[in-house]
Amino acid sequence: MTQSPRSADDPRQHARDRYYMKIAMQVRGRDNLPGTDANQPEDKRGYGANCYGSKLGAVLVLQDRIVGAGYNGTPAGFTNCMDGGCLRCQDRWYEKQGQVEKMTSRSHVAGEALDKCICVHAEQNALLTAARFGIPVNGATIYVTLSPCFGCLKESIQAGVTRIVYETEYRASYSEGLRTQYEALAHRLEDFGSLDPKPDVTEDAGPDAYADLAA
């Protein structure tokens, strides 16, 4: 479903979109290494997204002003995902590494047990930041480094977001029926698409599969 947003035909809006996407990439932060962050001096630690899965950054923009930002990781005050804070993500990592004997549950595989993941998505964190400070988001745009999942897409629509611009498409293994539903949700927005369409990232591509796409 990779497509360009309608703003691609408006040079001024396209320039704004690229500007805010670069900020979303900075919010995503630099790489964190599995299991090492807690043992590093503070100035040597990674910052931003901390998850065994894909690492995302998002900014929420209203009237050309940033009103929220977020990256994916465990809730505030919890052990970071890559330090063992999320069992579901850690087990998925073990499965990818062929270390299934270390998994706490064999159900923690791609596309399964997603409700057991305690990580908060980048788009959710951006919306929740605005809500925490009482900032309305009706009519806002979300810029996110990877296309939203089902949950973030419907939550964004419900919050009043009218545009979602992403860098790369996350090609999840949806059935034809679910893909049709996803597209129907996307069509509820005034604009939805990839700023610079690139090869899709699949759910089995690994946690850093699209890191080089930010260049």
Side-chain angles (χ1 to χ4, degrees):
M1 188 187 165
T2 303
Q3 62 188 48
S4 297
R6 286 191 291 274
S7 61
D9 298 325
D10 180 344
R12 292 189 64 184
Q13 183 60 54
H14 188 65
R16 288 193 203 96
D17 288 348
R18 291 188 65 83
Y19 170 75
Y20 288 119
M21 186 62 71
K22 288 180 180 179
I23 296 175
M25 291 176 178
Q26 290 301 310
V27 170
R28 180 180 65 191
R30 73 173 185 235
D31 287 345
N32 294 275
L33 300 176
T36 63
D37 226 30
N39 301 320
Q40 294 290 332
E42 189 168 346
D43 64 339
K44 298 295 185 182
R45 295 183 186 183
Y47 60 84
N50 190 301
C51 184
Y52 275 107
S54 298
K55 299 169 180 63
L56 281 69
V59 293
L60 186 63
V61 176
L62 181 65
Q63 297 179 7
D64 217 20
R65 298 290 184 272
I66 295 175
V67 296
Y71 50 78
N72 59 320
T74 55
F78 277 68
T79 301
N80 283 329
C81 178
M82 299 184 76
D83 290 323
C86 178
L87 291 179
R88 194 271 174 188
C89 286
Q90 187 175 57
D91 282 351
R92 180 75 180 104
W93 173 260
Y94 284 145
E95 183 201 23
K96 289 180 179 180
Q97 302 306 306
Q99 301 177 29
V100 294
E101 71 281 357
K102 295 183 178 180
M103 295 173 65
T104 63
S105 173
R106 296 296 177 90
S107 69
H108 294 167
V109 295
E112 302 293 334
L114 298 178
D115 60 322
K116 304 299 192 299
C117 176
I118 70 166
C119 291
V120 184
H121 291 193
E123 304 96 315
Q124 292 172 324
N125 269 324
L127 290 167
L128 291 167
T129 297
R132 179 183 295 181
F133 294 102
I135 302 172
V137 299
N138 197 48
T141 297
I142 285 183
Y143 295 90
V144 60
T145 54
L146 206 60
S147 59
C149 67
F150 247 109
C152 288
L153 178 56
K154 66 184 181 183
E155 289 159 12
S156 298
I157 293 170
Q158 196 72 354
V161 169
T162 55
R163 296 181 72 231
I164 295 179
V165 179
Y166 57 89
E167 178 71 5
T168 307
E169 181 174 2
Y170 182 82
R171 178 63 71 174
S173 300
Y174 294 141
S175 66
E176 182 177 350
L178 287 178
R179 173 61 55 180
T180 299
Q181 264 196 330
Y182 185 95
E183 292 177 358
L185 284 170
H187 287 153
R188 293 285 302 275
L189 296 162
E190 293 179 6
D191 204 3
F192 179 86
S194 173
L195 188 58
D196 292 301
K198 293 182 173 70
D200 295 346
V201 174
T202 67
E203 64 181 4
D204 290 319
D208 299 311
Y210 71 99
D212 61 335
L213 299 177

